[in-house]
């Protein structure tokens, strides 16, 4: 459903997913307050965006902003910053 795309923003993390697998990984931890909820934390993949600190495998794919994640590259474009962070007037 639609909330799954919002999980990284909700949890303030680089990535999050929901699984209803019947086989739990051995390193999953049972939640204390929600019955049936198990949590597993893993290091995020990819490089760290210097603007928002999110780790993303998409960093480097935008030639105009090779060090930024797609979200930050889009923001920089919309507020008028050109390649390399120089302000466009």
């Amino acid at each position: 459903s639609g909330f799954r795309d919002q999980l990284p923003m909700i949890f303030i993390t680089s990535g999050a997913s929901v699984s209803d697998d019947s086989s739990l990984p051995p390193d999953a931890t049972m939640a204390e307050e929600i019955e049936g909820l198990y949590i597993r934390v893993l290091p995020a993949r990819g490089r760290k965006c210097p603007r928002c600190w999110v780790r993303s495998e998409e960093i480097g794919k935008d030639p105009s902003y090779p060090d930024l994640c797609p979200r930050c590259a889009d923001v920089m474009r919309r507020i008028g910053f050109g390649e390399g962070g120089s302000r466009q007037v």
Side-chain angles (χ1 to χ4, degrees), residues 26-55:
D27 57 347
T29 303
M30 184 173 49
E32 293 179 11
E33 296 183 18
I34 302 174
E35 185 178 333
L37 175 65
Y38 290 82
I39 302 165
R40 183 175 178 215
V41 179
L42 301 169
R45 295 183 186 143
R47 293 177 24 213
K48 181 176 164 182
C49 176
R51 184 174 178 273
C52 70
W53 290 23
V54 163
R55 291 200 174 269

Side-chain angles (χ1 to χ4, degrees), residues 1-22:
S1 62
F3 78 93
R4 290 176 190 242
D5 294 339
Q6 300 301 317
L7 289 177
M9 298 299 272
I10 293 168
F11 293 121
I12 311 172
T13 187
S14 295
S17 62
V18 175
S19 175
D20 55 5
D21 293 341
S22 58

Side-chain angles (χ1 to χ4, degrees), residues 56-72:
S56 171
E57 293 179 307
E58 302 293 313
I59 293 174
K61 293 188 176 182
D62 187 327
S64 296
Y65 301 95
D67 296 329
L68 299 182
C69 70
R71 182 176 151 268
C72 286

